[in-house]
């Protein structure tokens, strides 16, 4: 694992692609380029031998070589934001040093230096290999000049994060206006919750604050009390999922009950997801204060009660991270 620092000073954990994997991806691209060159030269063979002058023959050969060797990589990495066919097959991607997608100028610089410096025959194809071995992020000279790095995108599939709404917030969740919450923002929040334990503490807090602030601007009303950013996101996503399941249930086909030899009583799942087995929690409550700029919709109580308070009669459990688990419903973010 390695770290990339974004423009917002957030540290991201990424997997750097090492030289053997990059070499295999490069070999796949070279084979593809060789096939394309063979087809083009076979098509132009008759014209080059019979009709073309010596000057035209040389110009055509140079143009075809430049088009395939340079154009292929530049066009592919620009259109796919850092991938060639070889990188796609191996789950690799070229990104900038801050983790953002590359553009045409980055692809062009990387390709030109790949062809004329890193793996140039007049340098015995050694500068790129030496630079990659000496750099802790496996960068070749083209990456150093362009300010890029090759990372691995292919990860193990993430388990769905445990989403639920605490008992005292169910009525608030059911009154939420979620029509403005986009699928992209919801999926980003869900991925953040799934990777919560993998993030560095600083990135965990910064990303949670940023996502909760964006989601709070797309939803209403605010919760009846202060919540931590992950707890707020979990409640919103759980209610969104419940409504989606309800909508699909009303539109889906009606099936007759199964009466075969393996028939068994079926109980529908909880609309907010299954709750885990209760576990002991320790620590002190840590209500979510919101970003430094001031109070936010999800960090301001909607009625007069102390920050983080829950209704009387409901005992409050708090896990090690300080997230509320009111009543008999344990906090799933342990």
């Amino acid at each position: 694992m390695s770290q990339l620092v974004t423009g917002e000073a957030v540290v991201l954990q990424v997997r750097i692609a090492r030289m053997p994997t990059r070499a295999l991806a490069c070999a796949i691209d070279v084979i593809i380029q060789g096939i394309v060159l063979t087809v083009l030269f076979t098509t132009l063979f008759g014209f080059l031998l019979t009709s073309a002058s010596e000057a035209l023959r040389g110009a055509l050969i140079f143009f075809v070589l430049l088009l395939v060797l340079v154009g292929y990589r530049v066009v592919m990495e620009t259109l796919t934001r850092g991938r060639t066919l070889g990188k796609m097959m191996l789950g690799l991607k070229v990104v900038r040093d801050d983790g953002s997608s590359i553009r045409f100028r980055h692809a062009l610089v990387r390709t030109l230096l790949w062809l004329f410096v890193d793996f140039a025959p007049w340098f015995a194809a050694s500068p790129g290999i030496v630079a990659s071995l000496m750099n802790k992020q496996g960068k070749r000279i083209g990456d150093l000049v362009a300010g890029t790095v090759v990372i691995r995108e292919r990860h193990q599939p993430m388990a769905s994060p445990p989403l639920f709404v605490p008992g005292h917030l169910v009525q608030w969740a059911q009154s939420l206006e979620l029509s403005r919450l986009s699928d992209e923002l919801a999926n980003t929040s869900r991925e953040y919750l799934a990777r919560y334990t993998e993030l560095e503490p600083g990135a965990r807090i910064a990303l949670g604050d940023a996502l909760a602030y964006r989601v709070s601007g797309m939803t209403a009303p605010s919760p009846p009390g202060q919540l931590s950013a992950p707890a707020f996101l979990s409640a919103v996503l759980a209610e969104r999922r419940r409504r989606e399941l309800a909508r699909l249930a009303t539109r889906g086909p009606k099936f007759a009950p199964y009466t075969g030899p393996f028939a068994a009583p079926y109980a529908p799942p909880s609309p907010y997801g299954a709750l885990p087995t209760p576990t002991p929690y320790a620590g002190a409550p840590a209500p979510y204060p919101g970003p430094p700029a001031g109070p936010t919709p999800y960090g301001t109580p909607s009625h007069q009660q102390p920050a983080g308070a829950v209704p009387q009669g409901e005992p409050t459990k708090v896990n090690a991270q300080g997230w509320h688990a009111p009543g008999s419903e344990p906090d799933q973010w342990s």
Side-chain angles (χ1 to χ4, degrees):
M1 298 291 287
S2 183
Q3 295 181 347
L4 297 181
V5 182
T6 68
E8 292 78 21
V10 175
V11 180
L12 301 178
Q13 293 287 338
V14 296
R15 294 182 182 272
I16 299 295
R18 294 303 176 184
M19 190 180 68
T21 309
R22 295 182 61 178
L24 182 57
C26 181
I28 295 174
D29 289 327
V30 169
I31 292 174
I32 294 174
Q33 289 174 310
I35 294 174
V36 174
L37 283 174
T38 301
V39 172
L40 290 178
F41 281 130
T42 302
T43 304
L44 297 174
F45 182 76
F47 174 76
L48 292 176
L49 287 183
T50 59
S51 303
S53 63
E54 184 175 352
L56 180 59
R57 187 181 306 121
L60 281 176
I61 293 175
F62 176 79
F63 175 76
V64 171
L65 288 173
L66 189 66
L67 177 66
V68 175
L69 296 180
V70 177
Y72 164 78
R73 292 178 177 273
V74 173
V75 172
M76 285 295 299
E77 291 187 355
T78 301
L79 295 180
T80 62
R81 291 294 186 264
R83 304 177 187 89
T84 59
L85 293 178
K87 291 183 176 66
M88 289 181 186
M89 295 171 121
L90 297 181
L92 306 183
K93 181 181 179 181
V94 183
V95 298
R96 296 159 66 178
D97 285 337
D98 61 358
S100 58
S101 299
I102 66 172
R103 298 183 180 181
F104 171 78
R105 63 177 182 273
H106 305 99
L108 180 62
V109 170
R110 295 185 75 257
T111 301
L112 292 178
L113 290 175
W114 175 86
L115 182 61
F116 296 109
V117 178
D118 283 319
F119 301 103
W122 45 83
F123 292 137
S126 59
I129 297 176
V130 173
S132 180
L133 291 175
M134 294 181 62
N135 189 276
K136 65 179 181 179
Q137 292 185 324
K139 291 187 175 187
R140 58 179 177 84
I141 297 177
D143 290 314
L144 294 172
V145 175
T148 58
V149 62
V150 182
I151 63 174
R152 300 189 62 176
E153 281 195 307
R154 187 171 296 167
H155 301 291
Q156 295 296 329
M158 295 182 299
S160 178
L163 307 176
F164 82 110
V165 179
H168 73 290
L169 294 179
V170 169
Q171 186 175 1
W172 162 75
Q174 292 177 346
S175 68
L176 277 173
E177 170 57 45
L178 301 176
S179 60
R180 296 176 56 201
L181 182 60
S182 65
D183 292 339
E184 180 182 1
L185 182 55
N187 291 334
T188 302
S189 302
R190 187 176 292 106
E191 183 176 353
Y192 161 75
L193 294 178
R195 294 186 180 277
Y196 180 84
T197 57
E198 302 176 10
L199 297 174
E200 292 291 328
R204 185 185 304 169
I205 295 174
L207 290 176
D209 287 348
L211 288 173
Y213 185 79
R214 291 178 60 190
V215 171
S216 68
M218 300 292 178
T219 59
S222 58
Q226 290 187 337
L227 294 174
S228 64
F232 171 74
L233 294 174
S234 174
V236 172
L237 293 179
E239 174 62 20
R240 188 175 189 268
R241 181 182 63 183
R242 184 194 69 82
R243 296 183 187 182
E244 185 66 18
L245 291 176
R247 183 184 64 83
L248 293 176
T250 57
R251 295 185 180 182
K254 305 299 181 181
F255 295 98
Y258 178 65
T259 58
F262 300 103
Y266 172 75
S270 168
Y272 297 107
L275 298 175
T277 304
T279 55
Y281 298 97
Y288 178 65
T296 61
Y298 57 87
T300 304
S302 61
H303 58 273
Q304 298 299 325
Q305 65 174 3
V310 297
Q312 292 295 329
E314 294 191 27
T316 301
K317 295 181 180 180
V318 181
N319 67 2
Q321 287 77 26
W323 297 358
H324 296 271
S328 60
E329 297 171 342
D331 195 327
Q332 303 192 23
W333 300 97
S334 56

